[in-house]
């Protein structure tokens, strides 16, 4: 965290938004309204700080000022006519409607900070720290500022690799400086249960420990657990005292911690400790609770009782994502439940569980929050949705009157590579540079006006399968979380990538000095060079006929159509990841055939080169072809083979790209390009003909 010694100097002026006179400071997130003139205010050892607020609020702000290095300047009240900073709680503040908003006016001899609540004063303090950090005299100015979204979140997965409470506190320090106010802790998942539950001690005696340090080694070795205290035991959990300590730390920074307890799936660790709660009653590796068994509900309610006792959060996250639902189809108890409750399918069985748990939470005065799968089979009435599989689920939920937090994978999943994969530590896959995070608008114009307020939040998620250390976790979080902070706080019309980039670098530098390990934007390699310019070549714009549909197989995988028939000759090349709608994906089960197309050049041409790039990322099952054949024809009937390329596919980790092509001298009008693979998906972006 950034601390500063107190020789502050602030300056003053009146204010409304005027871009031409905006001060050259490095505020993040960008303020709603700010204007400045050239007079300035210098904070020095004579600067006094006054707080006009009820005792409890004043005491908290005093603590926060002291933590920010401004403690010695505190004065409750005296009459000395010295330069002063006034913090004042007021029932009404001009231009402010959010309890988190504030007004700040800086003049030659004082700074006035006004807000409706202690959170607003706290954010005013963060802005004063920003102004102070930009160095020297702070221009006279006035700021009217409040958040675009009330929920500005970060998710930390502490299951896959446990992180201790000091790490969590350090991230909360950084969050609070950026006015982020929700920390979603993914506390339970197959790789480890991370919260002490007194009623179910085996969750932390067994399910929080494994013989391998990293998630990768653990999954490679059969995903087994061990006992707390075993010499090889790795992992850990938060005791209930730890949780109380974290909650106290969070509250002082106006952060709400939202606990996530996964159900009905991602629960292998629970079912290892309490196998009677799975459909198979003991088989290692079951992921889903048995929804037919009343004992499951007794367990879930018992856990939630302790969770609600600890966490004051109004919403409790119950996961709900990625249930396999397979065992439910044959389990006697699940089948009986479906018959008794008139449930048509296993989606409705999942929905039954979510509705029932929602009722339990509601009866205890809390609201349910879950991943967007909780919409399948009917959404529980008061539930809020976290939209992760794109934005469509979230937009639909908002149109239906539900509160939504946007966290779509393509913009908010910080486990993706943030730069060229070859330059980065191994990651889950994907390619999510900070510019793309910053480009996301969580409340699209297309949404009906009455649904817009239901998009209450934006969140960045850090899943930690491939993130074994604290330093690596910080590297993936920052600075991309800075982009989330600004996108969640600042109005869309105040967003500006070029300005943000400089400010984000300044914040990263400040964090680095304070002992964080952010990714260095100055050394960013950027997107794949082929993706930066369109490819002009002989086949550009030519018609492509897919031969594989003739055998009843889909031409491309539904999830990765890119620009459909136009993709392979549109001149547009893909970037570092297959999900950028420029790479087309092919996945035919049970056969090696993936891609078989004919390009019609429109006339017989001289040919010297025909080639296509493929990518390999083993983690999400994306592979190189093992065979490519390239042939040519004048009449689209008789083809002459130009190349028959065989490739030995290896299981290298990381991401690789390889060109499969022919070079030589030939003539023809029709080009046939055929690619086969041993396993998984194949992706290509363009067939380049010269
Ligand atoms: C998720 O990424 N499974 C929510
Ligand atoms: Zn069952």
């Amino acid at each position: 965290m950034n601390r500063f010694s107190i020789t502050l100097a602030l300056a003053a002026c009146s204010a409304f938004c005027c871009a031409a006179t905006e001060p050259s400071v490095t505020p993040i997130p960008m303020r709603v309204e700010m204007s400045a003139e050239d007079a300035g205010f210098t904070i020095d050892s004579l600067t006094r700080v006054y707080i006009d607020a009820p005792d409890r609020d004043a005491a908290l702000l005093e603590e926060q000022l002291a933590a920010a290095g401004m403690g010695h300047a505190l004065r409750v009240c005296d009459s000395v006519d010295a330069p002063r900073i006034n913090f004042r709680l007021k029932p009404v503040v001009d231009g402010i409607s959010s309890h988190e908003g504030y007004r700040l006016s800086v003049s030659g001899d004082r700074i006035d900070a006004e807000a409706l609540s202690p959170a607003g004063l706290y954010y005013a303090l963060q802005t004063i720290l920003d102004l102070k950090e930009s160095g020297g005299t702070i221009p006279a100015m006035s700021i009217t500022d409040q958040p675009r979204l009330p929920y500005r979140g970060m998710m930390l997965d502490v299951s896959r690799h446990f992180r201790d409470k000091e790490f969590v506190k350090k991230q909360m320090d950084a969050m609070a400086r950026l006015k982020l106010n929700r920390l979603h802790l993914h506390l339970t998942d197959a790789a480890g249960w991370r919260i002490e539950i007194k009623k179910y001690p085996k969750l932390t005696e067994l399910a929080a420990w494994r013989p391998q340090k990293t998630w990768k080694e653990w999954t490679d070795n059969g995903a087994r657990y061990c006992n707390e205290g075993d010499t090889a035991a790795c992992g850990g959990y938060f005791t209930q005292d730890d949780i109380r300590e974290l909650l106290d730390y969070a509250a002082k920074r106006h952060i709400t911690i939202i606990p996530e307890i996964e159900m009905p799936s991602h629960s292998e660790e629970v079912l290892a400790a309490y196998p009677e709660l799975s459909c198979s009653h003991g088989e290692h590796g079951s992921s889903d609770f048995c929804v037919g068994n009343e004992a499951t509900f007794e367990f879930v309610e018992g856990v939630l009782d302790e969770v609600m006792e600890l966490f004051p959060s109004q919403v409790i996250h119950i996961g709900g994502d990625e249930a396999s639902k397979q065992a439910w189809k044959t389990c006697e108890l699940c089948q009986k439940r479906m018959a008794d409750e008139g449930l048509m399918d296993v989606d409705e069985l999942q929905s039954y569980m979510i509705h029932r748990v929602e009722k339990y939470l509601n009866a205890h005065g809390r609201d349910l929050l879950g991943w967007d799968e909780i919409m399948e089979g009917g959404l529980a009435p008061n539930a809020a949705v976290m939209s992760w599989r794109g934005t469509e689920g979230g937009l639909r939920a908002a149109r239906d009157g539900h509160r939504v937090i946007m966290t779509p994978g393509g913009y908010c999943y910080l486990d993706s590579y943030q730069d060229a994969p070859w330059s980065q530590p191994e990651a889950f896959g994907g390619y999510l540079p900070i510019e793309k995070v910053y480009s996301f608008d969580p409340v699209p114009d297309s949404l009906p006006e009455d649904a817009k307020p239901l998009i209450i939040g934006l969140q960045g998620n850090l899943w930690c399968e491939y993130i074994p250390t604290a330093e690596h976790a910080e590297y993936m979080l920052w600075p991309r979380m800075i982009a989330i902070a600004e996108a969640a706080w600042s109005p869309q019309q105040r967003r500006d990538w070029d300005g943000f980039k400089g400010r984000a670098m300044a914040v990263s530098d400040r964090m680095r000095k304070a002992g964080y390990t952010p990714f260095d934007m100055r050394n960013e390699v950027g997107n794949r060079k082929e993706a930066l310019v369109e490819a002009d070549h002989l086949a550009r714009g030519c018609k492509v006929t897919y031969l594989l549909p003739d055998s009843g197989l889909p031409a491309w995988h539904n999830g990765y159509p890119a620009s459909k028939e136009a993709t392979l000759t549109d001149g547009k090349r893909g970037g570092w990841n297959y999900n950028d709608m420029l790479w087309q994906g092919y996945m035919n089960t049970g056969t090696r055939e993936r891609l078989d197309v004919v390009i019609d050049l429109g006339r017989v041409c001289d040919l010297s080169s025909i080639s296509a790039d493929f990518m390999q990322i083993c983690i999400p099952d994306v592979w190189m072809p093992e065979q490519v054949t390239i042939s040519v024809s004048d009449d689209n009937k008789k083809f002459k083979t130009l190349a028959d390329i065989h490739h030995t596919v290896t299981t290298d980790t990381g991401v690789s790209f390889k060109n499969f092509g022919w070079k030589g001298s030939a003539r023809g009008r029709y080009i046939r390009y055929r690619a086969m693979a041993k396993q998984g998906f194949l992706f290509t972006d363009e067939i380049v003909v010269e």
Side-chain angles (χ1 to χ4, degrees):
M1 263 313 281
N2 184 58
R3 309 262 181 251
F4 59 85
S5 62
I6 192 92
T7 319
L8 307 197
L10 305 195
C13 109
S14 64
F16 32 74
C17 184
C18 174
T21 57
E22 280 204 352
S24 59
V25 293
T26 57
I28 284 219
M30 178 51 90
R31 246 72 70 195
V32 173
E33 279 191 24
M34 178 160 69
S35 73
E37 293 170 5
D38 45 23
F41 178 85
T42 305
I43 297 179
D44 57 24
S45 58
L46 291 177
T47 304
R48 306 293 171 86
V49 180
Y50 298 90
I51 302 172
D52 182 2
D55 285 352
R56 213 169 134 257
D57 300 331
L60 181 58
L61 191 61
E62 278 177 27
E63 212 178 295
Q64 292 159 345
L65 282 157
M70 293 170 71
H72 82 271
L74 275 173
R75 298 287 186 282
V76 175
C77 187
D78 67 24
S79 57
V80 177
D81 198 14
R84 54 166 57 200
I85 303 173
N86 297 316
F87 287 94
R88 190 172 298 122
L89 273 188
K90 292 177 68 179
V92 178
V93 177
D94 263 3
I96 295 300
S97 53
S98 160
H99 79 280
E100 295 181 303
Y102 64 92
R103 268 179 67 89
L104 206 58
S105 67
V106 184
S107 66
D109 62 353
R110 59 197 283 164
I111 297 175
D112 285 297
E114 297 178 342
L116 304 175
S117 82
L121 288 185
Y122 184 67
Y123 293 139
L125 170 62
Q126 302 316 309
T127 297
I128 292 171
L129 298 184
D130 290 344
L131 298 174
K132 156 85 176 56
E133 274 157 16
S134 25
T137 298
I138 295 169
M141 66 176 75
S142 126
I143 291 172
T144 305
D145 196 22
Q146 56 189 343
R148 183 185 192 195
L149 299 174
Y151 180 121
R152 304 177 299 281
M154 178 173 114
M155 189 217 77
L156 192 60
D157 163 16
V158 291
S159 171
R160 274 51 176 263
H161 289 99
F162 183 61
R163 300 265 74 89
D164 64 18
K165 62 187 178 194
E166 295 313 319
F167 176 86
V168 178
K169 287 181 187 172
K170 187 179 173 197
Q171 305 321 305
M172 285 200 279
D173 285 341
M175 289 173 67
R177 278 297 278 112
L178 296 161
K179 305 186 177 86
L180 290 160
N181 67 354
R182 296 287 188 281
L183 176 63
H184 164 184
L185 287 180
H186 186 74
L187 289 165
T188 75
D189 211 304
W193 180 279
R194 306 300 182 198
I195 176 172
E196 177 188 23
I197 299 295
K198 304 231 188 252
K199 189 169 177 191
Y200 296 103
K202 278 192 276 180
L203 291 173
T204 43
E205 288 164 5
L206 177 81
W209 305 96
R210 61 191 190 210
Q212 295 82 17
K213 214 173 166 74
T214 68
W215 178 88
K216 242 173 111 171
E217 290 164 329
W218 175 70
T219 50
D220 286 350
N221 286 282
R224 299 281 173 175
Y225 307 91
C226 65
N227 289 306
E228 182 172 18
D230 284 359
T231 44
C234 300
Y237 59 91
F238 298 121
T239 65
Q240 296 202 351
D241 281 343
D242 292 337
I243 294 285
R244 280 185 275 269
E245 191 178 322
L246 287 174
L247 287 164
D248 181 57
Y249 199 85
K252 288 181 171 153
R253 287 153 185 79
H254 298 279
I255 291 172
T256 301
I257 302 184
I258 296 171
E260 181 185 354
I261 306 295
E262 273 274 19
M263 65 189 80
S265 195
H266 282 275
S267 297
E268 288 88 340
E269 85 291 21
V270 178
L271 303 175
Y274 297 96
E276 62 276 19
L277 302 179
S278 74
C279 291
S280 65
H281 290 222
E283 185 193 312
H284 168 78
S286 300
S287 60
D288 301 355
F289 283 102
C290 176
V291 185
N293 189 347
E294 273 306 294
T296 290
F297 291 91
E298 192 188 315
F299 171 85
V300 164
E301 290 169 10
V303 169
L304 289 177
D305 285 344
E306 293 188 33
V307 166
M308 286 188 284
E309 179 74 29
L310 283 166
F311 291 87
S313 171
Q314 180 61 34
V315 291
I316 304 291
H317 202 307
I318 54 79
D321 57 320
E322 299 182 310
S324 107
K325 304 174 188 168
Q326 286 309 311
W328 300 348
K329 292 177 182 166
T330 50
C331 166
E332 261 176 45
L333 288 176
C334 286
Q335 287 300 309
K336 180 167 185 318
R337 174 83 73 195
M338 287 170 67
D340 291 350
E341 300 289 335
L343 307 173
M344 301 298 290
D345 54 29
V346 287
D347 287 345
E348 289 193 8
L349 185 59
Q350 153 135 341
S351 189
Y352 166 85
M353 177 164 191
I354 304 296
H355 281 236
R356 194 166 152 180
V357 172
E358 180 181 40
K359 272 203 198 109
Y360 191 77
L361 291 173
N362 290 169
H364 291 76
R366 307 301 180 94
D367 297 332
L368 179 144
L369 171 61
W371 301 109
D372 56 43
E373 285 93 332
I374 64 169
M375 297 168 69
E376 290 164 9
L379 185 53
N382 303 314
V385 172
M386 228 170 224
S387 191
W388 74 278
R389 295 176 302 174
T391 55
E392 197 35 55
L395 297 177
R396 189 155 30 92
R399 282 190 211 100
D400 291 347
H402 293 273
R403 287 163 301 151
V404 171
I405 292 133
M406 284 295 184
T407 180
Y411 294 91
C412 299
Y413 269 40
L414 308 180
D415 54 339
S416 304
Y417 286 101
Q418 60 193 317
D419 199 359
W422 55 261
S423 69
Q424 297 301 302
E426 185 182 15
F428 196 88
Y431 173 53
L432 181 58
I434 184 169
E435 185 171 1
K436 186 167 181 208
V437 179
Y438 189 73
S439 73
F440 182 58
D441 179 0
V443 191
D445 274 344
S446 58
L447 204 58
E449 283 307 314
D450 59 343
K452 284 181 179 169
L454 291 167
I455 308 283
I456 60 166
L458 172 66
Q459 177 169 288
N461 292 338
L462 191 66
W463 299 105
C464 290
E465 285 93 335
Y466 293 88
I467 304 178
T469 69
E471 293 72 25
H472 189 179
E474 280 181 1
Y475 179 85
M476 300 303 271
L477 285 169
W478 311 104
R480 287 182 292 182
M481 274 307 303
I482 303 174
I484 296 279
E486 180 147 314
W489 180 283
S490 308
Q492 190 65 18
Q493 70 272 18
R494 296 283 281 140
R495 306 260 297 278
D496 150 41
W497 164 248
D498 289 331
F500 170 79
K501 192 173 171 186
R503 290 180 287 115
M505 282 183 187
V507 172
S508 300
D509 290 345
R510 173 184 92 202
M511 291 181 70
R512 207 169 283 112
K513 278 192 202 132
Y516 291 82
T517 53
F519 167 79
D520 189 352
M521 290 167 73
R522 285 188 181 81
N523 295 332
E524 189 170 355
V525 173
N527 205 351
R528 188 168 167 253
K529 71 176 184 337
E530 289 82 350
L532 302 178
V533 284
E534 299 209 347
D536 207 8
H537 59 94
L538 213 50
R540 184 150 180 206
C542 292
K543 182 174 180 337
V544 180
T545 304
Y546 287 76
L547 302 180
L548 283 180
D550 285 350
S551 54
L553 297 164
W556 49 77
H557 188 274
N558 272 341
Y560 306 99
S563 305
K564 303 188 176 168
E565 288 88 350
T567 304
L568 299 181
T569 54
D570 63 2
K572 298 198 176 91
R573 308 296 305 274
W576 293 124
N577 186 46
Y578 54 82
N579 70 358
D580 61 5
M581 288 302 276
L582 296 169
W583 291 94
Q584 193 165 65
Y586 317 95
M587 164 73 127
N588 307 325
T589 48
T591 149
R592 298 164 70 230
E593 301 288 343
R594 293 291 186 279
L595 172 69
D596 193 356
V597 290
V598 172
I599 301 170
D600 180 1
L601 298 175
R603 61 189 166 82
V604 175
C605 300
D606 288 326
L607 304 169
S608 63
S609 156
I610 301 166
S611 71
D613 284 353
F614 291 82
M615 75 161 73
Q616 180 163 310
I617 316 179
C618 305
I619 295 166
D621 204 23
V622 177
W623 299 91
M624 290 292 174
E626 58 165 6
Q627 190 180 355
V628 166
T629 60
I630 301 169
S631 48
V632 67
S633 161
D634 287 342
D635 59 5
N636 201 15
K637 289 189 187 114
K638 236 174 106 230
F639 279 84
K640 177 177 157 221
T641 300
L642 298 177
D644 183 17
I645 304 157
H646 290 258
H647 173 65
T648 305
V649 179
T650 55
T651 56
D652 316 326
T653 58
V655 183
S656 56
F657 296 80
K658 186 170 165 57
N659 184 269
F660 289 76
W662 160 85
K663 274 192 191 335
S665 175
R667 278 175 67 76
R669 169 171 170 176
Y670 298 93
I671 290 164
R672 185 170 177 188
Y673 195 105
R674 190 164 167 238
M676 286 144 278
K678 195 157 62 187
Q679 58 196 330
F681 278 97
L682 210 64
F683 277 90
T684 189
D685 57 344
E686 185 84 359
I687 298 175
V688 178
V689 180
E690 317 269 7

